[in-house]
Amino acid sequence: MSNTAELLKGAAELFPDEVVTQAHVRHLDLPQNAGRFALITLDNGLDHTKPTTFGPASLANLNTAIDQVEKEAADGEIVGVGITGKPFIFAVGADLKGVELLKRHEDALAIGKGGHDVFKRLATLAVPTFAYYNGAAMGGGVEVGLHCSYRTVSAALPAFSLPEVFLGLVPGWGGCTLLPNLIGADRAVSVIIENSLNQNKQLKGKQVYELGIADALFEGADFLEQSLIWTASVLKGEIEIARPDVDRGDAWHQAVERGRAIADSKVHGAAPAAYRALEIIDASRNGDLARGFDAEDKALADLIMGDELRSGIYAFNLVQKRAKRPAGAPDKSLARPVTKVGVVGAGLMASQLALLFARRLEVPVVLTDIDQERVDKGVGYVHDEIDKLLLKGRIHQDKANRLKALVTGSLDKAAAFSDADFVIEAVFEEMGVKQKVFAEVEAVVPEHAILATNTSSLSVSEMASKLKHPERVVGFHFFNPVAILPLLEIVRGEQTDDASLATAFGVAKKLKKTAVLVKDAPAFVVNRILTRFMGEIQNVIDEGTPVDVAERAIEPLGLPMSPLVLLELVGPAIGLHVSETLHGAFPDRFTVSENLKRVVEAGKRGFYVHDSGKPELDPEVAALLQQGETVLTEEQTRERVLDAVAQEIGLMLDEGIVAEAQDIDLCLITGAGWPFHLGGITPYLDREGVSERVNGKKFLAPGVASVPA
């Protein structure tokens, strides 16, 4: 038994639940009498909804297939070897389920070495090797192809990426070493660092070809057939693949520096993966593959044994798995059908909601407002957005016509809502206004209709309290921009019944939103945490710490934007309103900043001006600020802010606002864009010792978002 086989056998014992990928070898005669060819197909026996992955047993199967074709190649029985995937899927990389279970550095090192040892054999066969990227290819799926002599890609391929840095790893089976040596360091930095840290951006087939990763591009319908005709021409010498020379001079150094600047702007040094990947890219400049592979093995093992990766996998599992089975949601069989939707209000938020309901539910949606001009403007917005989708090629003309016909406006609520199954209000955030709207709507809708509120901070129970049927009122809180942020906080009022709640969850699923069940309490989850977070930063500034120090203090969290830039996005007036609501509920913990009041009263849209392209403190705002004498350092500021957040999350869990800490993290990742590499927030607070300092205990059990003991 070879060393590789022994290595993989040992690793397989650590991954008892691996979904094993087979590597089927079949032989065929190439067109144009080019010779006999061996084709390896990667297939886990399941359909495309369960993509093919590489765990130890899967790698062992590929190793065995390579044993066979290696002998055939050496004996002159075949002229080449190809590798492809099952329908719609090439392969999507390492099996992360097993990575979570690893407890020892040497076991992690074996995973890196195992992948390398198998994949690099493809480069040493006695015949040329070909990768046919027929479908989704990520991580190790991309890397196995990089070890081949040639690559083709399908124009229909929807997703191609090296997402490891996004999760807290490096492309560790050849990606960091081979890709820059194939397409140059700058393009490799775009794929490995920039796309990864840009919310795991995917490449399409055409882009893979244009970057030079693939040597040929073919249509999806007859992709394999065309790839084999092309292969025959390559083997016969009729097609020569000319790859441009890679610039190994100053351009390589500049590319690595560009990568560092991207990493700094995204994670601010808070997560090591991007920097480790850049070190390997930097070191692979001289084309020494063996040295590069060794560096990949070491980086992979170090990162697998680090908590950042565990947090990344934890976050990935929250978004991929927990989000699909919301904790506490009633039985879906109780949900009622929704065949028409009403939207009260026709402002920007209401119009965004109307567009989303029409696109996802494909049922009639009717907007109402207090005058015809507003109604027309709201419907006009939706129609314009549908036209934009048409222009971008996201929908075809028939679909655009159908969607436009579904969205109408009316001043008459009785006529508009008499047959609606689901009515959502998106009017001014004031209790009296919302109660009045619901009273009007209840009088005209059918008895089974759900009344949903998009409130961001007000009590759903109080809103429903004066209605004849408070049991059908549910909180349905979207995040702005509606089309982009996946989170939907579904709020159960004191009297909300299971059927109404189940219907709300059913609608959320059709809207393709991540729904989290939330108890009816001021500002629910995201806004409550963000308001406490922002409030503490505001307090520190009000007491005397310079604005730039307070902002920089938070950089190590690697948040998508700084607190005061976020305030600008939300709007200072809304920020002030939510802080006043929460101050009313919890006066001992939530403050109302006098400086923020001054900014709002002066009609300012934020603290910054952006004239130079980067945010600078607005001199007019600086003149408004009245600060005390207490100046904190960045570290003191960060400690104070994190302590406040940890205290608030602890209280929210005690109050039963959500089922578990996992739901807090899911909300922050999908509703506020908090980074995967933190796992949201609770793993970070646990890791930094904040949870125990503030609450006397960690939020998560050992081994959850951390290396198992």
Side-chain angles (χ1 to χ4, degrees):
M1 199 187 232
S2 71
N3 279 350
T4 303
E6 282 170 25
L7 192 69
L8 293 170
K9 187 168 181 285
E13 286 164 11
L14 300 170
F15 286 18
D17 299 323
E18 179 185 346
V19 177
V20 178
T21 296
Q22 304 299 328
H24 304 290
V25 181
R26 66 187 171 105
H27 295 88
L28 42 97
D29 292 319
L30 287 171
Q32 305 158 36
N33 296 318
R36 191 164 162 75
F37 189 76
L39 182 66
I40 300 171
T41 303
L42 303 169
D43 191 346
N44 61 6
L46 302 165
D47 70 14
H48 66 277
T49 61
K50 297 277 189 305
T52 306
T53 54
F54 291 118
S58 307
L59 287 171
N61 287 338
L62 178 57
N63 198 46
T64 302
I66 295 172
D67 284 343
Q68 179 186 335
V69 297
E70 183 179 57
K71 184 175 185 309
E72 292 169 354
D75 293 348
E77 293 172 15
I78 53 174
V79 294
V81 175
I83 185 163
T84 192
K86 67 182 184 181
F88 310 111
I89 305 287
F90 182 78
V92 299
D95 184 345
L96 289 174
K97 290 195 301 297
V99 172
E100 287 174 274
L101 305 173
L102 296 176
K103 298 178 184 181
R104 300 183 316 158
H105 193 274
E106 55 263 43
D107 294 333
L109 196 60
I111 293 298
K113 284 186 72 60
H116 271 133
D117 288 352
V118 176
F119 289 0
K120 70 187 181 190
R121 294 181 68 196
L122 290 165
T124 58
L125 297 182
V127 294
T129 49
F130 298 79
Y132 306 130
Y133 291 123
N134 64 303
M138 293 170 207
V142 168
E143 289 170 301
V144 70
L146 293 177
H147 286 267
C148 294
S149 323
Y150 305 98
R151 286 155 294 283
T152 66
V153 66
S154 165
L157 179 145
F160 182 105
S161 64
L162 289 169
E164 287 84 353
V165 167
F166 176 66
L167 290 169
L169 280 172
V170 297
W173 286 342
C176 288
T177 305
L178 294 171
L179 193 63
N181 279 291
L182 175 68
I183 61 172
D186 196 60
R187 287 177 164 190
V189 162
S190 294
V191 177
I192 294 169
I193 307 296
E194 190 170 16
N195 290 357
S196 239
L197 292 179
N198 193 3
Q199 290 301 313
N200 192 18
K201 183 181 169 194
Q202 301 293 321
L203 297 168
K204 300 267 194 279
K206 186 164 180 270
Q207 294 167 299
V208 173
Y209 171 65
E210 286 168 352
L211 281 168
I213 299 171
D215 302 304
L217 175 75
F218 298 113
E219 287 304 317
D222 57 351
F223 169 70
L224 189 57
E225 192 183 335
Q226 292 300 323
S227 291
L228 291 169
I229 293 169
W230 178 86
T231 298
S233 298
V234 170
L235 290 171
K236 290 180 79 173
E238 293 164 4
I239 291 178
E240 270 194 46
I241 302 305
R243 296 194 183 120
D245 286 339
V246 169
D247 186 335
R248 299 180 188 279
D250 201 38
W252 196 291
H253 176 69
Q254 285 171 358
V256 172
E257 288 309 303
R258 183 173 78 87
R260 284 213 176 90
I262 293 165
D264 286 345
S265 73
K266 292 287 187 181
V267 301
H268 308 281
Y275 302 98
R276 291 297 291 269
L278 286 163
E279 282 169 21
I280 301 166
I281 293 171
D282 197 22
S284 67
R285 178 179 186 162
N286 62 1
D288 183 343
L289 300 186
R291 189 169 154 230
F293 294 167
D294 286 346
E296 287 177 355
D297 287 342
K298 183 165 182 350
L300 206 56
D302 291 349
L303 291 166
I304 285 173
M305 297 317 291
D307 286 333
E308 280 85 3
L309 168 69
R310 306 306 170 122
S311 295
I313 295 175
Y314 163 82
F316 186 77
N317 287 338
L318 290 181
V319 171
Q320 294 296 321
K321 295 177 185 168
R322 191 178 183 92
K324 292 179 174 62
R325 289 188 289 278
D331 192 312
K332 56 177 180 278
S333 66
L334 298 171
R336 293 192 284 260
V338 172
T339 59
K340 183 177 179 182
V341 172
V343 182
V344 187
L348 182 59
M349 191 68 178
S351 305
Q352 288 184 70
L353 295 180
L355 175 67
L356 181 71
F357 278 98
R359 279 193 75 194
R360 297 279 188 246
L361 269 58
E362 297 194 15
V363 301
V365 178
V366 59
L367 294 135
T368 66
D369 213 314
I370 53 175
D371 59 53
Q372 192 64 45
E373 191 185 338
R374 290 180 202 218
V375 170
D376 292 346
K377 191 177 173 191
V379 174
Y381 168 87
V382 178
H383 286 193
D384 287 348
E385 290 298 310
I386 292 167
D387 284 336
K388 285 180 195 168
L389 291 169
L390 179 64
L391 273 173
K392 288 178 187 164
R394 302 266 301 277
I395 55 174
H396 48 70
Q397 187 67 58
D398 281 358
K399 183 79 175 271
N401 295 345
R402 270 206 319 277
L403 290 176
K404 281 187 186 176
L406 288 173
V407 181
T408 56
S410 172
L411 286 176
D412 182 350
K413 287 192 182 74
F417 299 155
S418 63
D419 56 348
D421 307 301
F422 191 99
V423 178
I424 183 164
E425 69 73 25
V427 299
F428 186 65
E429 192 74 347
E430 207 274 310
M431 184 58 76
V433 176
K434 298 212 186 247
Q435 285 181 329
K436 180 172 178 287
V437 160
F438 269 167
E440 290 170 5
V441 172
E442 188 180 47
V444 298
V445 294
E447 275 197 14
H448 67 271
I450 305 297
L451 304 184
T453 168
N454 184 43
T455 182
S456 59
S457 61
L458 301 176
S459 166
V460 175
S461 305
E462 191 182 335
M463 220 176 284
S465 61
K466 296 181 179 173
L467 298 177
K468 292 190 188 74
H469 292 287
E471 70 281 357
R472 57 174 166 172
V473 176
V474 63
F476 215 61
H477 178 219
F478 290 87
F479 289 78
N480 214 348
V482 170
I484 294 170
L485 289 174
L487 180 63
L488 185 51
E489 290 178 338
I490 295 187
V491 187
R492 179 172 212 151
E494 283 167 18
Q495 299 195 56
T496 308
D497 64 20
D498 280 355
S500 301
L501 205 58
T503 306
F505 274 99
V507 169
K509 190 170 184 185
K510 284 188 176 158
L511 294 175
K512 298 187 179 171
K513 291 294 179 189
T514 296
V516 175
L517 180 62
V518 180
K519 190 174 165 183
D520 187 20
F524 317 124
V525 176
V526 173
N527 283 342
R528 180 162 162 187
I529 292 169
L530 288 186
T531 304
R532 185 78 199 274
F533 174 79
M534 305 277 281
E536 209 53 52
I537 286 167
Q538 199 77 57
N539 289 344
V540 167
I541 292 169
D542 292 354
E543 289 163 20
T545 300
V547 170
D548 61 325
V549 174
E551 286 269 81
R552 271 201 314 274
I554 304 305
E555 281 186 356
L557 274 77
L559 298 179
M561 62 189 77
S562 76
L564 293 181
V565 173
L566 175 63
L567 182 68
E568 205 167 288
L569 185 75
V570 171
I574 292 173
L576 179 64
H577 176 72
V578 177
S579 70
E580 286 169 344
T581 303
L582 281 160
H583 176 68
F586 311 113
D588 55 326
R589 300 195 310 281
F590 287 85
T591 52
V592 178
S593 165
E594 292 301 320
N595 279 326
L596 181 57
K597 268 190 189 167
R598 289 185 196 99
V599 170
V600 172
E601 283 161 8
K604 290 303 212 177
R605 296 185 58 184
F607 275 62
Y608 293 125
V609 286
H610 298 265
D611 301 339
S612 65
K614 62 175 199 272
E616 290 175 9
L617 188 61
D618 183 341
E620 291 177 19
V621 170
L624 293 171
L625 297 182
Q626 294 179 17
Q627 293 180 281
E629 303 293 317
T630 308
V631 179
L632 300 184
T633 63
E634 286 177 31
E635 203 167 314
Q636 288 168 323
T637 300
R638 185 163 58 252
E639 188 172 303
R640 197 161 133 189
V641 171
L642 292 176
D643 283 5
V645 170
Q647 182 195 31
E648 204 57 40
I649 293 171
L651 291 165
M652 289 165 73
L653 292 171
D654 290 346
E655 292 166 30
I657 303 297
V658 288
E660 290 181 288
Q662 278 88 332
D663 294 310
I664 299 268
D665 292 318
L666 182 57
C667 285
L668 286 173
I669 291 164
T670 57
W674 282 41
F676 259 61
H677 67 259
L678 295 187
I681 184 64
T682 67
Y684 179 79
L685 295 171
D686 284 356
R687 202 160 66 231
E688 296 294 309
V690 182
S691 316
E692 286 180 275
R693 182 170 73 233
V694 175
N695 300 323
K697 61 180 182 187
K698 289 186 172 179
F699 287 114
L700 300 169
V704 178
S706 58
V707 179

